[in-house]
Amino acid sequence: MQRVDTVRLAQRCMEMCDALAKCTEEEGHITRTFLAEPTHEAHRLLRAWMEQAGMAVQVDAAGNLRGVYAAEVGNAPRLLMGSHIDTVPDAGAYDGVLGVVMAIALVEGLAGGKLNYAIEVVAFSEEEGVRFGVPFLGSRALTGDAEPLLERADADGISVRQAIRNFGLDPERLAEARVQQPVLGFMEMHIEQGPVLESLGQGVGIVEAIVGQSRLQLAFTGRANHAGTTPMHLRQDALVAAAEWIALVEREASATAGLVATVGQMQVKPGAGNVVPGEAVMSLDVRHADDTERRMAVELFLHRAQEIAQRRGLMLTHSIRMEHSAVQMDVALTARLEAAAHAVGQHPLCMTSGAGHDAMVMAQQFPVAMLFLRSPGGISHHPEEAVLVEDVAAALEIGCQFLQELENR
Amino acid sequence: MQRVDTVRLAQRCMEMCDALAKCTEEEGHITRTFLAEPTHEAHRLLRAWMEQAGMAVQVDAAGNLRGVYAAEVGNAPRLLMGSHIDTVPDAGAYDGVLGVVMAIALVEGLAGGKLNYAIEVVAFSEEEGVRFGVPFLGSRALTGDAEPLLERADADGISVRQAIRNFGLDPERLAEARVQQPVLGFMEMHIEQGPVLESLGQGVGIVEAIVGQSRLQLAFTGRANHAGTTPMHLRQDALVAAAEWIALVEREASATAGLVATVGQMQVKPGAGNVVPGEAVMSLDVRHADDTERRMAVELFLHRAQEIAQRRGLMLTHSIRMEHSAVQMDVALTARLEAAAHAVGQHPLCMTSGAGHDAMVMAQQFPVAMLFLRSPGGISHHPEEAVLVEDVAAALEIGCQFLQELENR
């Protein structure tokens, strides 16, 4: 393989992201939900770039645009690369999209040279869960797990099945979207969407695991009382109990490496300035790359809440709203990515992803690896979302070397 | 004065409260706002009881029903007694009303015997502030301070002036409602509406002061962030800052005798379970019988909030929404009430009122004293609001003796 000009390719990636940002449902904002009209234009652009790079392009029945770059021989295994092209409402230009255009750029970098494996670049149709309230429609089609979602309806009552038909595709052919073996693995490049790389002055990170997550609802119930006539020692103030607990959750989470715990919602009843709160209802979101650590943390937080309730004469209730396990990246494929980085003189941070990604679904059937790119300001899901062109170049350099490493496998 | 059967009179008070509870805007609930239709029926009952006890009854232009029990000689000074007969929505049967019927009962107890001072029993038309969003319309008419409220409108756009006309009264005669001197003072009997007397096993208390009050709004502003991708040490979580502060407010308030501080409202933005809160907006209600103590507490709470914001890299904003000074009861009149209690072998708790009362307004022009009756469960502004008949009897016994003490002044 010849030496690739990754700086030029990185610039080209930025231009491709800019072009895709114009495919939007909302003039002046970037909003591109699953199979909405502007997806046609995004597909047109991507197809042109893929074909130019020498790929054979198809759209599967789930709306995933897939370009295959053939190997030098038939029947060779395939490396999958890519990310999603749907967005949240009023999104940035890089979440998902960047990983797709970078994969195309890596194939462009081959300049027509063939490898002993094929490359399939996938522009997943759906990852954000905006339109149908459930994420990963695109990647679930590749793992053969999208069928159960066909009757799900969007806010207008349109089913996934109908949305697929409306886009000009045949939902009956969904099974054909499943990836056939042999597959070397799936490699996803994605912006970090968090502040970790930036805070450490690093441009690129290698993901070791995507965190598991627990979501709970908790309520302290005390007694609403007159704020003037009820002395402090005769109160059963639900908000003060909640406050004590929230401060403690922060303390415990900060003291546990890799743990994040968030109270993002809080409702106080009756909610009048002159009434001692009788009820405080909160959400709790707990994430860790190690499921045991996460479960232990949830147990501890509930135990502490119970202690606080008991000491204050309140009642505590809770329910678990969601729970999913951590997903480990493939050790061998990730080691190869790391080796590629070292080979080009880079030392990316080994890190955890706090958010879900297509790689999470793909990991159920294929070896997966992920490369993170620094998010300036940690900002994502926001028009100010950004990426530095030098980080894109650095990641592409690792990517080129990764393809080479695979060639030498 | 002959010996009065206060047990029988207390029983009669309970019956009068029951009868007045039936004068309501909502079948099955007790709701009687300022000059609403059921006030006519309440006035009819009260007028009959007052006249039976030997009083001359009038309704002033603010809708206050006022019964005068003449002195044995003309031109004698007057003792004012009473409380309010309006209620909050879905109220209990005793808040305000009990003080009116107990005042009538004390006059009944005189059994026609005359004193060297006149007694005027006032059933104030408005104290709760429900209909016009401002309290004390009734008592402000007696102190000549109701005029500025005449153009205030209720939720239906009806002005105080029009409401008075609709009730069949003449707002032009409001000035005549002002009490003429000489006045010995105003004595109000009222349920405590709090748990203090009950918690100490006392039936009756003597109020020394009505607390001053500060109401503030505070907001911590940090940065909303992804709950999964933002490590604990890189967060600017507004809710955690608020929680730390709320716990601290409770601690400081509990450590200061007579201070109550309440955070009754709390809004968290953006308010999603998977987003680190970027903003937390709270109310703060601070009360103390000593204005300096209250102001120092507010200063301390703001200072602590500022410290927390600074340490956490957040912004703190605040505004003072309301502030009113403590009102001291008249020392001499209160001493007379205490002497009366001791004379009948009782030792009521000397205490602070955490809520406002008509006595607060009357104190601006007259010597005032207040007697509190135990609130079972500390409950008020609620259908379960109660009073014990033995506490009513005990308070009436003090009241009878108080009238006697004044006779001997």
Side-chain angles (χ1 to χ4, degrees):
Chain A
M1 249 185 320
Q2 66 199 68
R3 182 84 195 153
V4 178
D5 183 353
T6 50
V7 172
R8 190 189 53 78
L9 273 187
Q11 194 50 56
R12 178 146 164 69
C13 286
M14 303 303 277
E15 288 160 13
M16 290 194 277
C17 287
D18 288 346
L20 288 166
K22 296 198 174 69
C23 309
T24 176
E25 299 165 48
E26 283 185 285
E27 188 62 32
H29 304 268
I30 306 173
T31 302
R32 193 171 55 247
T33 57
F34 177 57
L35 297 188
E37 183 56 29
T39 307
H40 283 295
E41 175 61 9
H43 279 183
R44 200 188 57 74
L45 292 171
L46 289 163
R47 178 187 289 270
W49 299 329
M50 284 176 171
E51 288 178 347
Q52 209 174 338
M55 291 183 251
V57 183
Q58 281 193 309
V59 177
D60 70 22
N64 299 307
L65 184 84
R66 300 162 69 164
V68 176
Y69 185 78
E72 57 194 351
V73 294
N75 255 340
R78 230 182 314 174
L79 171 70
L80 303 166
M81 291 195 293
S83 190
H84 61 98
I85 58 163
D86 69 320
T87 75
V88 296
D90 200 14
Y94 304 100
D95 176 4
V97 165
L98 181 69
V100 179
V101 302
M102 284 178 71
I104 296 173
L106 287 180
V107 176
E108 282 183 10
L110 296 174
K114 297 294 180 178
L115 302 169
N116 60 17
Y117 55 92
I119 295 175
E120 178 170 347
V121 176
V122 188
F124 291 105
S125 55
E126 210 289 336
E127 188 259 9
E128 297 288 3
V130 173
R131 180 165 174 190
F132 289 96
V134 54
F136 307 123
L137 291 175
S139 45
R140 286 180 68 170
L142 267 73
T143 60
D145 185 33
E147 207 79 33
L149 305 173
L150 278 175
E151 306 313 326
R152 241 189 129 84
D154 68 9
D156 297 325
I158 298 169
S159 66
V160 172
R161 185 187 297 279
Q162 191 57 48
I164 289 172
R165 274 207 200 94
N166 294 350
F167 194 76
L169 298 167
D170 181 2
E172 303 305 317
R173 300 182 63 182
L174 196 57
E176 297 170 27
R178 187 164 181 170
V179 173
Q180 298 305 313
Q181 297 285 0
V183 165
L184 290 179
F186 172 68
M187 200 275 277
E188 182 171 8
M189 291 166 283
H190 203 285
I191 55 169
E192 182 201 339
Q193 305 185 276
V196 174
L197 286 170
E198 184 178 66
S199 74
L200 298 173
Q202 298 244 31
V204 181
I206 289 178
V207 176
E208 295 178 309
I210 296 176
V211 295
Q213 186 179 1
S214 299
R215 284 208 205 171
L216 293 89
Q217 190 178 72
L218 293 93
F220 285 103
T221 308
R223 183 171 198 138
N225 257 319
H226 193 296
T229 64
T230 317
M232 300 306 288
H233 71 284
L234 294 177
R235 297 178 174 207
Q236 291 161 283
D237 186 325
L239 176 56
V240 176
E244 186 185 341
W245 180 74
I246 290 167
L248 185 148
V249 165
E250 187 203 38
R251 249 190 334 271
E252 300 275 7
S254 300
T256 310
L259 186 69
V260 286
T262 308
V263 178
Q265 295 176 315
M266 157 76 89
Q267 272 140 20
V268 175
K269 297 174 196 170
N274 61 351
V275 180
V276 177
E279 196 182 8
V281 184
M282 292 146 294
S283 65
L284 174 67
D285 179 312
V286 182
R287 308 192 197 194
H288 199 284
D290 182 310
D291 292 333
T292 308
E293 287 272 9
R294 172 175 48 83
R295 283 194 207 102
M296 274 169 52
V298 169
E299 276 311 306
L300 177 68
F301 295 150
L302 288 175
H303 182 67
R304 289 277 185 264
Q306 192 58 62
E307 276 178 354
I308 290 169
Q310 220 148 41
R311 172 160 40 79
R312 291 177 171 273
L314 310 184
M315 206 176 69
L316 176 78
T317 54
H318 81 273
S319 60
I320 293 172
R321 292 296 170 95
M322 190 245 269
E323 201 156 34
H324 67 69
S325 301
V327 175
Q328 306 302 319
M329 300 295 103
D330 181 69
V331 174
L333 199 68
T334 300
R336 217 181 273 280
L337 198 57
E338 212 173 343
H342 293 168
V344 297
Q346 293 190 45
H347 299 279
L349 181 72
C350 289
M351 62 189 297
T352 293
S353 170
H357 293 290
D358 291 305
M360 218 164 99
V361 173
M362 298 296 276
Q364 289 164 20
Q365 300 194 358
F366 314 111
V368 296
M370 274 197 90
L371 207 55
F372 263 1
L373 286 84
R374 163 167 44 191
S375 285
I379 298 166
S380 186
H381 285 190
H382 191 278
E384 285 172 26
E385 183 180 272
V387 73
L388 302 178
V389 66
E390 59 261 37
D391 294 345
V392 177
L396 286 172
E397 210 180 349
I398 297 172
C400 287
Q401 184 60 32
F402 175 71
L403 297 187
Q404 189 58 58
E405 300 268 334
L406 275 183
E407 174 79 359
N408 303 337
R409 77 190 175 279
Chain B
M1 253 186 320
Q2 68 199 65
R3 182 85 193 148
V4 179
D5 183 352
T6 51
V7 173
R8 189 190 54 79
L9 273 187
Q11 193 51 55
R12 176 145 166 70
C13 286
M14 303 303 275
E15 289 161 12
M16 290 193 275
C17 287
D18 288 348
L20 288 167
K22 296 197 175 69
C23 308
T24 176
E25 298 164 49
E26 283 186 286
E27 187 63 32
H29 303 270
I30 305 173
T31 302
R32 192 171 54 246
T33 56
F34 177 56
L35 297 188
E37 184 54 31
T39 307
H40 282 296
E41 175 62 11
H43 280 183
R44 200 189 57 75
L45 292 171
L46 289 163
R47 178 186 289 271
W49 299 328
M50 284 176 170
E51 288 178 346
Q52 209 174 340
M55 290 182 252
V57 182
Q58 280 192 311
V59 177
D60 70 23
N64 299 307
L65 184 85
R66 300 161 69 164
V68 176
Y69 185 77
E72 58 195 350
V73 293
N75 255 341
R78 230 181 313 174
L79 172 69
L80 302 167
M81 291 196 292
S83 191
H84 61 98
I85 59 164
D86 69 320
T87 75
V88 297
D90 201 14
Y94 304 101
D95 176 4
V97 165
L98 182 68
V100 179
V101 301
M102 284 178 71
I104 295 174
L106 286 181
V107 176
E108 283 184 10
L110 296 174
K114 297 294 180 176
L115 303 169
N116 58 17
Y117 57 92
I119 295 175
E120 178 170 347
V121 176
V122 187
F124 290 105
S125 54
E126 211 288 337
E127 186 261 7
E128 298 286 3
V130 173
R131 182 166 175 189
F132 289 95
V134 54
F136 307 125
L137 291 176
S139 44
R140 285 180 68 172
L142 269 73
T143 59
D145 185 35
E147 207 80 31
L149 306 173
L150 277 175
E151 305 314 325
R152 242 190 128 84
D154 68 9
D156 297 326
I158 298 170
S159 66
V160 172
R161 186 188 297 280
Q162 190 57 47
I164 289 173
R165 273 207 201 96
N166 294 349
F167 194 75
L169 297 168
D170 181 2
E172 304 305 318
R173 300 183 61 183
L174 197 55
E176 297 171 26
R178 186 163 183 168
V179 173
Q180 299 306 315
Q181 299 283 3
V183 167
L184 291 178
F186 172 68
M187 201 275 277
E188 182 171 7
M189 292 167 280
H190 202 286
I191 55 169
E192 181 200 339
Q193 305 185 277
V196 175
L197 286 170
E198 183 177 67
S199 74
L200 297 173
Q202 297 243 31
V204 180
I206 289 177
V207 176
E208 294 178 309
I210 296 176
V211 295
Q213 187 179 1
S214 299
R215 284 206 205 174
L216 293 88
Q217 190 177 72
L218 292 95
F220 285 103
T221 307
R223 182 170 197 139
N225 257 317
H226 193 296
T229 63
T230 317
M232 299 307 290
H233 70 286
L234 294 177
R235 297 179 173 205
Q236 292 162 280
D237 186 326
L239 177 55
V240 176
E244 187 185 340
W245 179 73
I246 290 168
L248 186 148
V249 165
E250 187 204 36
R251 247 189 336 269
E252 300 276 7
S254 301
T256 310
L259 186 69
V260 288
T262 308
V263 178
Q265 293 176 315
M266 158 76 88
Q267 272 139 19
V268 176
K269 296 174 194 171
N274 59 350
V275 180
V276 177
E279 196 183 8
V281 184
M282 292 145 293
S283 65
L284 173 66
D285 179 312
V286 182
R287 309 192 197 194
H288 198 286
D290 181 312
D291 291 332
T292 307
E293 287 272 9
R294 171 173 51 82
R295 284 194 207 103
M296 275 170 51
V298 169
E299 277 311 305
L300 178 69
F301 295 150
L302 287 175
H303 181 68
R304 290 275 185 266
Q306 194 58 61
E307 276 179 352
I308 290 169
Q310 220 148 41
R311 173 160 39 80
R312 291 176 172 273
L314 309 185
M315 206 177 70
L316 175 78
T317 53
H318 81 272
S319 60
I320 293 173
R321 293 297 171 95
M322 189 246 268
E323 201 156 33
H324 67 69
S325 301
V327 174
Q328 306 301 320
M329 300 294 104
D330 181 71
V331 174
L333 199 67
T334 300
R336 216 180 274 281
L337 197 57
E338 211 172 344
H342 293 168
V344 297
Q346 292 190 46
H347 299 279
L349 181 72
C350 287
M351 63 189 297
T352 293
S353 171
H357 293 289
D358 291 304
M360 219 164 98
V361 173
M362 298 296 276
Q364 290 164 20
Q365 301 195 358
F366 314 110
V368 296
M370 273 197 90
L371 205 55
F372 263 0
L373 286 83
R374 160 165 49 191
S375 284
I379 299 166
S380 186
H381 286 191
H382 191 278
E384 284 171 25
E385 183 182 271
V387 73
L388 303 177
V389 67
E390 59 263 37
D391 293 344
V392 177
L396 287 172
E397 211 179 346
I398 296 172
C400 288
Q401 184 60 34
F402 175 70
L403 296 187
Q404 189 58 58
E405 300 269 334
L406 275 184
E407 174 79 359
N408 303 337
R409 74 190 177 280

